[in-house]
């Protein structure tokens, strides 16, 4: 190789380095976003959350980072048995979702993470706050589906919401009339829950949680054969995360219970 040839080879390599680096993730905020999304896809939730939070410090109005950090906070919080630790993560998710909505309320994902965070908070709240969170979350579920009617996560939340409201006790329903400013909760039924979660499965047939929740509702309304079929489909799904392993275990236990009846 002559010196001139070597010179041009090195020049071309030097010019190509920035583009190669950008392909591998870019620099600065782009680099952080790329790394965070890689961790998010690999279900390395704690590491991904740390990256997204770092990005948010640099760009406080980065809506994608705010949305995904909120989802991750909800996901991580749900793993704790202790309501105090659980609540800390859920409150973080709620705060991040509020900021995401503030950036642009017309985006489906921002409304979805807001609904998700509000629904999660209802799990660790007293009765009055739980009702308020349920009512408020419905508003954001409806907004999400109005923007994107093929949002599987929103349909799943719609199903969960319907199930919770449909199965309030008589005492809870009576108390809600005194606690709610409107005097009443929106009407919901178990059939609404079945339809919504089934829609979520149609849109995302690989999500094990959707099958498990659908099977639980089917069991409660005595749809035995349908419940068995749903659980069998659930057990055929590929297990990716540690949550999937736990959900698969629960599906097996639920199937055993249904088959005994």
């Amino acid at each position: 190789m002559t010196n001139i040839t070597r010179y041009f080879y090195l020049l071309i390599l030097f010019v190509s380095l920035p583009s190669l680096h950008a392909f591998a993730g870019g620099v600065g905020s782009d680099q952080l976003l790329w790394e965070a999304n890689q961790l998010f896809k690999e279900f390395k939730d704690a590491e991904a959350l740390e990256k997204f939070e770092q990005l948010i410090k640099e760009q406080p109005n980065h809506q994608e980072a705010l949305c995904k950090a909120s989802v991750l906070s909800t996901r991580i919080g749900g793993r704790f048995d202790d309501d105090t630790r659980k609540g800390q993560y859920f409150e973080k998710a709620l705060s991040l979702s509020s900021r995401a909505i503030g950036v642009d309320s017309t985006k489906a994902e921002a409304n979805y993470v807001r609904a998700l965070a509000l629904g999660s908070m209802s799990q660790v709240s007293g009765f009055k706050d739980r009702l308020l969170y349920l009512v408020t979350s419905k508003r954001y579920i409806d907004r999400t589906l109005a923007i994107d009617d093929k949002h599987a996560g929103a349909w799943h939340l719609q199903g969960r919401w319907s199930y919770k409201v449909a199965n309030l006790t008589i005492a809870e329903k009576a108390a809600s009339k005194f606690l709610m400013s409107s005097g009443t909760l929106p009407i919901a039924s178990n059939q609404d829950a079945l339809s919504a979660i089934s829609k979520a499965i149609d849109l995302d047939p690989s999500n094990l949680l959707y099958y498990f929740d659908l099977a639980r509702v089917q069991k409660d309304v005595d749809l035995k054969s349908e419940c068995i079929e749903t659980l069998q489909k659930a057990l055929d799904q590929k297990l990716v995360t540690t949550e999937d392993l736990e959900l698969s275990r629960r599906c097996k236990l639920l199937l055993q219970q249904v088959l005994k009846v």
Side-chain angles (χ1 to χ4, degrees):
M1 181 183 294
T2 66
N3 289 335
I4 294 176
T5 303
R6 185 180 293 109
Y7 170 78
F8 279 108
Y9 175 79
L10 291 173
L11 180 62
I12 292 171
L13 180 60
F14 177 77
V15 172
S16 300
L17 281 175
S19 60
L20 289 172
H21 183 60
F23 179 78
V27 295
S29 297
D30 289 339
Q31 171 75 17
L32 274 176
L33 179 60
W34 183 83
E35 291 176 354
N37 277 321
Q38 286 299 113
L39 292 166
F40 188 85
K41 291 174 184 177
E42 295 168 5
F43 300 98
K44 296 178 180 178
D45 295 346
E47 296 94 327
L49 179 57
E50 183 179 353
K51 290 288 185 182
F52 281 123
E53 288 180 328
Q54 189 177 344
L55 177 55
I56 291 167
K57 287 181 181 179
E58 294 185 5
Q59 295 188 33
N61 292 327
H62 197 297
Q63 191 174 54
E64 181 183 352
L66 289 166
C67 286
K68 288 182 176 174
S70 181
V71 169
L72 289 166
S73 297
T74 300
R75 191 184 294 170
I76 294 170
R79 295 173 188 147
F80 290 99
D81 294 326
D82 177 28
D83 279 354
T84 300
R85 294 295 304 280
K86 191 189 294 283
Q88 289 172 349
Y89 275 97
F90 288 170
E91 286 174 2
K92 179 192 287 189
L94 192 65
S95 174
L96 289 163
S97 70
S98 177
R99 292 171 61 183
I101 281 286
V103 174
D104 187 351
S105 62
T106 67
K107 300 297 183 183
E109 194 64 16
N111 283 278
Y112 166 71
V113 299
R114 184 64 174 165
L116 180 64
L118 287 162
S120 297
M121 283 299 298
S122 70
Q123 299 175 27
V124 293
S125 303
F127 178 64
K128 181 177 181 179
D129 287 338
R130 179 158 61 92
L131 286 177
L132 293 173
Y133 284 131
L134 281 173
V135 170
T136 309
S137 68
K138 183 65 165 65
R139 185 187 313 154
Y140 290 100
I141 293 170
D142 291 345
R143 288 181 184 177
T144 305
L145 292 173
I147 298 167
D148 179 8
D149 64 356
K150 291 182 172 56
H151 197 296
W155 281 111
H156 178 238
L157 289 184
Q158 171 70 24
R160 278 192 159 191
W161 182 90
S162 296
Y163 180 75
K164 289 177 182 177
V165 173
N167 291 282
L168 290 173
T169 66
I170 295 175
E172 287 173 333
K173 289 178 180 178
S176 71
K177 295 180 180 180
F178 297 97
L179 296 174
M180 303 301 298
S181 59
S182 62
T184 184
L185 279 169
I187 297 173
S189 68
N190 286 324
Q191 183 56 52
D192 294 332
L194 291 168
S195 298
I197 302 175
S198 295
K199 178 71 171 180
I201 292 174
D202 289 341
L203 293 167
D204 183 6
S206 64
N207 194 306
L208 193 56
L209 178 59
Y210 299 170
Y211 291 97
F212 179 64
D213 281 348
L214 178 61
R216 288 197 299 171
V217 180
Q218 290 170 330
K219 177 178 180 293
D220 285 353
V221 297
D222 297 323
L223 295 174
K224 181 176 179 178
S225 60
E226 290 87 343
C227 180
I228 292 171
E229 182 181 357
T230 298
L231 290 169
Q232 288 173 336
K233 288 180 180 179
L235 294 173
D236 288 337
Q237 300 306 307
K238 181 180 179 180
L239 305 182
V240 178
T241 68
T242 54
E243 280 82 2
D244 286 344
L245 291 171
E246 174 60 20
L247 282 168
S248 181
R249 185 187 69 82
R250 292 184 184 183
C251 285
K252 290 176 183 177
L253 290 175
L254 185 58
L255 182 58
Q256 291 171 2
Q257 293 173 13
V258 175
L259 290 173
K260 288 179 181 179
V261 177

